[in-house]
Amino acid sequence: MRLAAWEFREAAAEPSGEPAALLLHGLMGRAFHWAGTARWLAEGRRVVALDQRGHGQSERPLHGPGSTTPLGREAFVADAEAAIEQLGLAPVTLIGHSMGALTAWQLAARRPDLVAALVICDMRASALGEASQQEWEDWFRGWPLPFPTQDAARRWFGEDDPRVERPDPGRGRFFAEVMHEAEDGWRPLFSRRQMLTARETWVHDAHWEELAQVSCPTLVVRGLDGELGRAEAQEMVRVLPAGQYAEIPDAGHYLHYDQPAAWRAAVEPFLEGIKASA
């Protein structure tokens, strides 16, 4: 499986000895979504963002029963583990959004020797269930593909998508950036069928047990209008041996897009605190 990884460097920054950072996007995302975060993280540390399998510029698994490149939880965790080891990032700060956050805490639970700190961005630990999976399948079926332009995709996901209760520019930009120009118009970089397959491997299970096994300092961040509710987020912090909590007002699920300044204000003090304690 060929994976694409992007390293961000701040030319004027001097090495500070801080742990490197590995950034893991969510389902349907791509490494480029972390560009804004990577710019300030790279001030003194090495920063790598991974296009996870089936996403961005990384290889898509083959369809069908003969496929030897799965889209299950084990595969995503193994990819992140391989990236850390092959790129010499350990001990690393893992920052994950949504599905990428689940991958991050599963890896931190299994390989504590590789992970110095963890940031969980708007990902639930509870099971979502079959109804949620069916809702996603119906949603994918309703995408008006192909989009005539990339801007049309931005408008649909930010304003006209039936899931959007009010205009959401951050969400629109997020999805516009996972579209590419095909012969007949603009289409997603990923296979919707494969995204459903990947999601199927976690929505029916709760992930509290693995969360409780994460021993490194961990920050749980939620957007006020995101998918992770306050009560569940605070319970996640309670379960974590070294958990902290942050909440960003006026932000939804794509909170590092919605409110980049507030996102930085939430995450940076956590990382500075780890540096000070070390």
Side-chain angles (χ1 to χ4, degrees):
M1 172 62 66
R2 181 190 61 81
L3 300 176
W6 308 90
E7 183 159 0
F8 297 84
R9 296 179 182 274
E10 182 62 46
E14 293 293 330
S16 64
E18 295 181 51
L22 178 64
L23 312 180
L24 300 176
H25 62 74
L27 190 73
M28 304 179 291
R30 61 185 304 188
F32 179 76
H33 284 147
W34 289 114
T37 298
R39 289 189 188 98
W40 58 265
L41 278 176
E43 297 170 0
R45 67 167 64 78
R46 189 179 177 194
V47 180
V48 175
L50 183 66
D51 269 342
Q52 298 179 77
R53 61 173 59 205
H55 295 75
Q57 300 302 313
S58 287
E59 189 175 349
R60 282 192 193 183
L62 299 173
H63 287 295
S67 172
T68 59
T69 50
L71 276 165
R73 284 283 82 222
E74 294 296 332
F76 284 110
V77 174
D79 287 345
E81 181 179 7
I84 293 170
E85 292 185 326
Q86 292 179 25
L87 297 175
L89 303 177
V92 72
T93 295
L94 282 178
I95 301 178
H97 172 243
S98 195
M99 179 193 76
L102 176 59
T103 299
W105 88 59
Q106 288 180 326
L107 178 56
R110 299 176 198 187
R111 292 292 309 273
D113 57 306
L114 295 182
V115 185
L118 174 65
V119 178
I120 295 170
C121 177
D122 212 61
M123 180 61 189
R124 300 180 62 182
S126 58
L128 302 179
E130 181 58 34
S132 173
Q133 188 71 354
Q134 184 61 54
E135 180 185 347
W136 272 66
E137 186 173 344
D138 295 341
W139 176 56
F140 276 143
R141 194 179 297 116
W143 287 18
L145 296 175
F147 291 102
T149 64
Q150 190 178 29
D151 192 56
R154 179 192 59 77
R155 291 196 306 271
W156 192 82
F157 286 103
E159 301 170 17
D160 300 329
D161 184 339
R163 282 189 165 199
V164 176
E165 296 181 0
R166 60 183 181 182
D168 189 340
R171 187 175 189 269
R173 291 195 304 273
F174 183 97
F175 280 98
E177 288 171 358
V178 296
M179 298 291 156
H180 72 106
E181 191 171 14
E183 291 183 0
D184 59 347
W186 289 78
R187 293 183 175 274
L189 287 166
F190 50 81
S191 158
R192 288 171 291 167
R193 178 169 58 172
Q194 289 188 349
M195 296 301 99
L196 282 174
T197 298
R199 197 172 184 272
E200 181 77 26
T201 65
W202 88 73
V203 296
H204 302 292
D205 301 316
H207 306 284
W208 294 98
E209 184 176 349
E210 287 166 306
L211 191 72
Q213 295 170 1
V214 175
S215 58
C216 65
T218 302
L219 178 67
V220 177
V221 189
R222 66 176 291 268
L224 190 63
D225 298 317
E227 296 181 8
L228 175 60
R230 179 179 290 139
E232 183 172 352
Q234 292 176 343
E235 179 63 12
M236 289 170 65
V237 171
R238 189 192 68 78
V239 165
L240 284 158
Q244 299 180 39
Y245 175 75
E247 183 175 286
I248 298 179
D250 301 319
H253 181 58
Y254 305 97
L255 50 102
H256 51 308
Y257 258 52
D258 293 346
Q259 300 291 340
W263 160 251
R264 178 176 182 175
V267 174
E268 199 166 34
F270 167 74
L271 299 180
E272 290 295 325
I274 294 171
K275 178 182 175 182
S277 64

